[in-house]
Amino acid sequence: MMKLRLDEEATIQDLVVAARLKQVPEHVSISLVNFYAGLRPLLVLWRVPSSEEVLDMLASGHRCVSVLISEQALCTVYGHRDCLEMLLHDLAHMEHFVENGRYWQQVGFFEFLRSSAAPLHQGRWLGAYGNRWRLSWRYVSSDMNTVANHMLQVFQASLMVAKAREVALGAGLGAASEDQEDDALNNMQSDVFPRGSISDWGPALLEAGLLDKFEADFAEEWGQLIDLHIADIAQRFPGIWPAEDYTVKVSGNSQRAEDNSASTSYKSFAAWPRPSASAFRAACKPPERQASSSAAHKQADTNLDGSPLASQASRAAAIIAHFDELGRRLNLKEAPRQNGPEVAARAGFGKVADVEKSNLQKVLKHKGLHKQDAMPARIGFITDTEGNFDYWCRCVELSRVVRFDAEEQLDFCRSGELDKFVFGGDVFDKGLGDIRIASALVAFKRKYPNRVILLVGNRDLNKLRFTAELHERDLDVPQPVPLYPRAPPQMALRDYLEQRAIEEGIPIDEANNTANRLRWILNKTMTAQGAFEHRRQELSILRSRGSASDAGVKEGLAKPGTNCGSVSDEEVVHNFLDSVQSENGFVWQYLRAGQLAALIGNTLFVHGGVPLESLGWVPSKDMRYCSPQPGEVCGGSHLPAGHSASEWVDALNGFYEWGLSDFRTQMLWREDHRSRGGEALLCMTSTPACFSRSVMVESLLQEGMPTHPDPRVEQYLSSRGVCRVICGHKPCGDSPFVVKGSHVEFLHCDTTFSDASAPDKRGSVVAAVEVEGDAFQNYVSVSGVLRDGTPYNYALPSVASADTNCEEPPAKLARESEREVLDAPDALPDQVRSIADCDRLIGRRTSDGWWVKARLADASYHMASGRAGDRNVSYKRVTYNEAQAAFGLT
């Protein structure tokens, strides 16, 4: 108490203002402070209300908090929470009800449920769809608080599963097992929300020839609901539906400006264009079955039933704008406000709206309280964008550490000097954002040289090859890349040029030009298929924008009339070469700002991983970028016994700096035509050339599945105060892959190839990985969206270095508590984040081989199984109780 400058007369209010309480989510503290200041529409109850009561409260603009004193009474209703957990859960939901301007749209959505959906639920759905639907309705109508379009999607998906189940059971499919499940759920009164997926019923319906019937039946039932709502509010609120068609411009800086303004002021939603009835109906239309990934891509880029809605962003905006308007027309009191920036800075409560100074007196009673006393530092981590500009933007929008400022440049979300940002490497190769992402990162590094860290990945460093390999003309050249284990068959340059010559109808001598040699390097030796044309498109976009570093241009959205063909092959080749050989080239600038490894407190950041052979090893300056000969011994040296982790990291980064200087002295081939400057540094991009010792390319992950950490690696790291390794490089599926060792946790965060059906192989997947706390005692929070659109949000247990006199977290696999993981953010237009309580199952492997990957919003788990090195990875979802049982914790 003395450290916080609080005396014996201090209240709970004083405590939550002065400090962040351990095991209490951030939003709970925010909610309490705002409640004490009289800024929250909070109803305090001494009981647990029914879901119908809660829906009435929400549609009337209020949220309740249950203050309970009877554990026994609570367990009969909510068996998975105790009294304190219920209180914390309600307080956190209160904040999600009002924050970031989402209050009015949520009021409007819940009014839609109360006035339009509830009569159908009571009249037909409840009797026809069984207990799974009953619990799903309770969850959607009383235990969700997020952006309106996401809530509508969850409601629609739940209803769709219920309809599919009804059609299947009506045809005699799976009746016995479903009857057993329905009976098991009969006595459950809680909001557990047993999530179902249409994939549970789709294959059976298709096989039985019932899929078309199901889709038609659901489309009819959903359409009746939307039409009922449209007619109801048209009668109640004349003029709410504009006559003109609804359009939203989703391109360039204009959309981003709307998004940024929406996140900083709740009043911004009032200015959003309101949709017409037809536009709202189209925006709410159920998803259509796609025949192929190309068809799915086409669907996303075309209109809906003739409506001018052109994209997912526009549909989301139409839904949000309508429910926001409906909420405002219900004639409620002024929307709740949040505390001012001074309160947030001192209490560490994040970004909030402004408020009059007089209100600050209600909250701040003690003088001399500095923001460093309570605000925990955050380290944001993004990795492996690989040129995908859309993915890059979504990662930044999801982050609580970095953001785009008014000029569309990177900046930190919070003021002060506490937060840091680490980019994990692999900026380039597979999208339309190479130039813009690299330029934004370098500018950010220059602005905050001590707070921004740029790691270098293999897709960044291998660009050093261009200068030598594009200056030769021989048709028969040795394979330029040392072949790694499991490498696909390589195509020789001559074979590639012969193929191009046939395709273009020209002699091979004419096909042997710099552009085709660059295509061969990119497509056949760098696994960067299509990078040549991607660069042509990005140059065209930037030419139309008049800037080579405009970070506000959405991927693929060049100005109308821009012709990518106006950028010649020669210009593309020049850009690739200039990016490396020019002092001002964007690749060279990124490499100059980068490093191989970073150690921040107890967390080690590398691009790939920490193999056993790399521990304490410093590469030799004589290493050659080629496959070693039989019997050849790896060069380099090991640091003396007793060295620290920071000394090893410094040595690796020192070698990296030397390698860049060596490259600059000899960018072309030496006389032997097989060696060049930076040769030893290039070895870090290759498993064979580096004898499996590179922290840049070695990983616990093999084809999406991990091996267990080597105890010797853990011993080396933990004995030097390293409790965590965060990396990328190897694809980890549609969410970060956590691997919990005995002493060290490993987080793999490369989500490339997360959705094979998507044109960019990522789809809607996005992830935010953040370390929060002080340098030597902290935890990781992870949030994002899976490939099927399901949000997840969890926190790992806090870890502490051994030299901080902090007790190590217990090794026993048990949860400290079961608390609601609040909904992760929907992609548009708001960003909503919460810190969930720690989860001790994630990163563990069951006895039958299933890894716990993520915790979802309904407290279920996303699981993965497969063999290391085998591309066939299986996924499933299990309930909380099933996960507990798998570890023998029931």
Side-chain angles (χ1 to χ4, degrees):
M1 297 289 282
M2 292 180 61
K3 183 177 180 181
L4 296 173
R5 298 180 174 85
L6 299 177
D7 55 30
E8 296 179 353
E9 301 295 322
T11 65
I12 294 179
Q13 173 186 356
D14 300 323
L15 183 60
V16 297
V17 169
R20 176 171 179 179
L21 304 179
K22 185 177 181 181
Q23 300 298 321
V24 174
E26 186 177 48
H27 282 76
V28 171
S29 299
I30 299 174
S31 189
L32 283 171
V33 170
N34 283 291
F35 174 68
Y36 287 131
L39 305 176
R40 287 293 174 268
L42 204 77
L43 300 177
V44 180
L45 304 178
W46 298 97
R47 59 183 176 85
V48 177
S50 68
S51 60
E52 291 78 15
E53 289 178 277
V54 175
L55 178 58
D56 283 337
M57 294 176 199
L58 292 168
S60 301
H62 295 88
R63 201 58 171 90
C64 68
V65 169
S66 292
V67 182
L68 305 172
I69 59 175
S70 171
E71 296 277 355
Q72 182 178 1
L74 178 64
C75 289
T76 63
V77 181
Y78 293 89
H80 62 294
R81 294 196 185 106
D82 62 27
C83 293
L84 176 60
E85 289 165 347
M86 191 69 191
L87 176 63
L88 297 179
H89 162 269
D90 285 349
L91 285 169
H93 267 279
M94 175 72 256
E95 205 56 28
H96 280 282
F97 188 39
V98 303
E99 69 177 357
N100 291 340
R102 300 176 308 167
Y103 175 73
W104 291 121
Q105 62 182 270
Q106 290 190 73
V107 170
F109 172 78
F110 290 116
E111 174 60 18
F112 156 73
L113 290 184
R114 180 172 68 173
S115 61
S116 300
L120 294 175
H121 168 70
Q122 293 292 338
R124 194 185 97 75
W125 298 341
L126 187 58
Y129 293 158
N131 284 313
R132 176 184 290 189
W133 164 253
R134 175 177 60 84
L135 295 175
S136 295
W137 168 263
R138 290 193 172 204
Y139 176 84
V140 174
S141 64
S142 63
D143 205 30
M144 280 191 73
N145 289 110
T146 183
V147 285
N149 65 304
H150 176 62
M151 292 193 292
L152 185 68
Q153 289 168 0
V154 172
F155 174 60
Q156 182 187 74
S158 301
L159 189 61
M160 184 180 293
V161 172
K163 170 58 73 173
R165 178 179 179 274
E166 180 191 48
V167 173
L169 293 181
L173 304 178
S177 61
E178 282 301 306
D179 287 343
Q180 292 175 0
E181 180 190 23
D182 200 69
D183 291 338
L185 296 176
N186 186 57
N187 294 323
M188 295 184 65
Q189 301 297 318
S190 67
D191 56 349
V192 174
F193 184 32
R195 180 185 297 273
S197 170
I198 192 62
S199 62
D200 296 338
W201 299 100
L205 292 173
L206 180 62
E207 184 176 351
L210 296 172
L211 191 56
D212 289 337
K213 170 179 169 52
F214 151 70
E215 290 179 340
D217 288 353
F218 179 77
E220 180 181 3
E221 186 146 27
W222 181 259
Q224 290 175 353
L225 169 64
I226 298 302
D227 288 342
L228 175 65
H229 173 67
I230 289 173
D232 174 56
I233 66 166
Q235 181 179 9
R236 294 166 57 192
F237 305 104
I240 194 172
W241 298 116
E244 62 274 12
D245 285 335
Y246 173 78
T247 58
V248 173
K249 182 178 180 182
V250 189
S251 61
N253 294 326
S254 60
Q255 179 65 30
R256 179 62 53 73
E258 288 182 356
D259 292 348
N260 281 345
S261 64
S263 66
T264 57
S265 172
Y266 69 84
K267 297 179 181 178
S268 61
F269 286 116
W272 283 34
R274 291 343 195 186
S276 64
S278 61
F280 177 76
R281 182 184 292 108
C284 298
K285 183 179 178 182
E288 296 182 1
R289 192 191 338 162
Q290 306 299 336
S292 65
S293 60
S294 60
H297 182 53
K298 181 179 180 181
Q299 171 73 12
D301 293 335
T302 56
N303 61 356
L304 297 168
D305 291 342
S307 161
L309 294 173
S311 69
Q312 179 182 358
S314 297
R315 292 193 293 272
I319 293 168
I320 290 169
H322 165 65
F323 285 127
D324 183 79
E325 178 67 14
L326 176 57
R328 294 174 190 274
R329 290 198 179 210
L330 290 172
N331 293 320
L332 302 177
K333 295 180 180 180
E334 182 182 357
R337 297 173 295 179
Q338 292 177 307
N339 291 326
E342 184 176 356
V343 175
R346 296 193 177 192
F349 294 152
K351 182 185 291 186
V352 290
D354 54 85
V355 69
E356 297 83 7
K357 288 185 178 180
S358 59
N359 284 328
L360 297 178
Q361 304 302 321
K362 302 177 182 178
V363 183
L364 292 176
K365 293 183 177 180
H366 301 278
K367 298 180 180 180
L369 189 62
H370 301 290
K371 61 184 179 183
Q372 289 85 355
D373 290 338
M375 180 183 290
R378 291 178 185 148
I379 306 171
F381 183 75
I382 299 174
T383 190
D384 292 87
T385 53
E386 297 187 5
N388 190 323
F389 193 72
D390 179 64
Y391 176 74
W392 159 248
C393 290
R394 286 188 286 121
C395 286
V396 173
E397 290 164 354
L398 182 59
S399 174
R400 295 180 303 160
V401 176
V402 294
R403 63 181 178 87
F404 292 115
D405 64 17
E407 286 74 39
E408 297 300 310
Q409 300 302 311
L410 277 179
D411 205 345
F412 284 102
C413 293
R414 306 192 296 183
S415 60
E417 300 294 326
L418 292 176
D419 293 349
K420 299 180 185 296
F421 174 73
V422 179
F423 185 82
D426 275 7
V427 178
F428 309 108
D429 276 356
K430 296 184 178 180
L432 308 183
D434 285 2
I435 300 172
R436 290 170 288 171
I437 298 173
S439 299
L441 287 168
V442 171
F444 195 29
K445 174 71 172 177
R446 288 173 176 167
K447 186 174 182 179
Y448 301 101
N450 298 321
R451 299 172 60 195
V452 175
I453 295 171
L454 307 180
L455 298 183
V456 174
N458 52 299
R459 293 188 177 277
D460 312 318
L461 195 56
N462 65 9
K463 304 304 179 284
L464 297 181
R465 292 173 46 201
F466 289 153
T467 53
E469 295 177 27
L470 289 177
H471 279 86
E472 59 184 347
R473 287 292 175 264
D474 292 344
L475 284 172
D476 298 302
V477 298
Q479 175 62 35
V481 179
L483 295 182
Y484 58 89
R486 303 175 305 281
Q490 303 296 298
M491 175 179 281
L493 174 62
R494 177 180 286 275
D495 295 339
Y496 179 80
L497 293 178
E498 287 178 348
Q499 179 177 307
R500 293 285 303 190
I502 294 173
E503 293 173 354
E504 298 175 17
I506 58 176
I508 189 172
D509 288 343
E510 292 185 27
N512 183 21
N513 55 56
T514 308
N516 282 338
R517 295 180 79 101
L518 176 56
R519 289 187 176 96
W520 173 71
I521 291 173
L522 293 168
N523 295 346
K524 302 302 180 181
T525 75
M526 288 185 176
T527 63
Q529 290 84 352
F532 191 96
E533 294 305 317
H534 289 155
R535 184 62 55 84
R536 191 198 305 275
Q537 289 179 267
E538 187 174 18
L539 289 172
S540 179
I541 292 170
L542 296 176
R543 178 176 296 175
S544 72
R545 303 292 300 184
S547 170
S549 61
D550 185 351
V553 185
K554 284 284 188 181
E555 181 172 357
L557 297 178
K559 279 188 174 180
T562 298
N563 180 9
C564 292
S566 64
V567 179
S568 66
D569 282 4
E570 289 74 17
E571 289 175 293
V572 175
V573 171
H574 173 76
N575 182 266
F576 270 101
L577 269 173
D578 188 70
S579 69
V580 177
Q581 66 185 10
S582 169
E583 285 286 351
N584 294 320
F586 65 90
V587 174
W588 179 248
Q589 289 294 316
Y590 182 85
L591 295 177
R592 285 288 304 274
Q595 57 195 75
L596 289 182
L599 182 64
I600 304 178
N602 59 7
T603 303
L604 176 64
F605 296 87
V606 292
H607 179 64
V610 185
L612 176 63
E613 294 80 4
S614 72
L615 302 177
W617 175 71
V618 182
S620 168
K621 297 179 180 179
D622 298 326
M623 294 173 65
R624 296 289 300 276
Y625 185 59
C626 59
S627 298
Q629 298 299 314
E632 187 174 350
V633 178
C634 178
S637 60
H638 285 82
L639 295 177
H643 66 272
S644 66
S646 61
E647 288 173 332
W648 179 43
V649 168
D650 289 345
L652 288 175
N653 291 332
F655 166 78
Y656 173 77
E657 292 293 336
W658 171 87
L660 290 182
S661 299
D662 184 53
F663 166 78
R664 215 65 192 171
T665 63
Q666 185 64 48
M667 292 189 287
L668 305 181
W669 291 120
R670 295 189 174 97
E671 293 182 1
D672 61 4
H673 291 282
R674 287 299 99 198
S675 66
R676 57 202 151 184
E679 189 84 2
L681 188 55
L682 278 172
C683 291
M684 297 298 289
T685 69
S686 167
T687 289
C690 216
F691 293 80
S692 302
R693 300 186 179 201
S694 173
V695 296
M696 183 179 291
V697 295
E698 304 307 320
S699 174
L700 290 178
L701 292 183
Q702 297 296 332
E703 307 295 350
M705 294 302 297
T707 57
H708 282 286
D710 191 306
R712 293 168 291 181
V713 174
E714 289 197 70
Q715 174 60 29
Y716 173 90
L717 294 172
S718 62
S719 66
R720 289 164 173 80
V722 177
C723 301
R724 180 185 301 112
V725 176
I726 300 181
C727 56
H729 179 58
K730 290 283 189 176
C732 62
D734 60 359
S735 65
F737 214 128
V738 180
V739 180
K740 297 287 287 186
S742 299
H743 305 287
V744 181
E745 61 185 21
F746 299 80
L747 284 86
H748 306 82
C749 310
D750 176 6
T751 61
T752 53
F753 300 106
S754 53
D755 186 353
S757 66
D760 65 353
K761 307 304 179 187
R762 287 190 194 259
S764 61
V765 167
V766 65
V769 177
E770 293 163 3
V771 181
E772 184 159 353
D774 62 35
F776 294 101
Q777 185 171 17
N778 43 57
Y779 67 93
V780 172
S781 66
V782 183
S783 66
V785 178
L786 302 180
R787 59 184 171 182
D788 64 359
T790 302
Y792 59 89
N793 187 0
Y794 62 86
L796 299 176
S798 176
V799 298
S801 299
D803 59 356
T804 63
N805 296 319
C806 295
E807 183 180 355
E808 288 284 314
K812 180 181 177 182
L813 295 179
R815 301 186 67 140
E816 293 181 346
S817 61
E818 167 57 35
R819 295 175 183 158
E820 181 70 11
V821 178
L822 300 177
D823 296 282
D826 195 84
L828 288 170
D830 286 312
Q831 296 306 317
V832 180
R833 293 293 308 278
S834 68
I835 296 180
D837 291 322
C838 68
D839 193 302
R840 297 188 179 278
L841 298 187
I842 292 170
R844 309 290 186 179
R845 183 176 180 269
T846 64
S847 59
D848 58 348
W850 287 91
W851 288 88
V852 184
K853 285 205 70 182
R855 188 177 183 221
L856 309 181
D858 61 350
S860 65
Y861 287 97
H862 183 48
M863 310 280 284
S865 178
R867 292 179 300 176
D870 186 348
R871 292 179 182 270
N872 296 318
V873 178
S874 300
Y875 295 96
K876 70 176 181 179
R877 293 181 186 174
V878 301
T879 66
Y880 168 70
N881 289 334
E882 289 171 339
Q884 290 279 302
F887 290 99
L889 300 176
T890 55

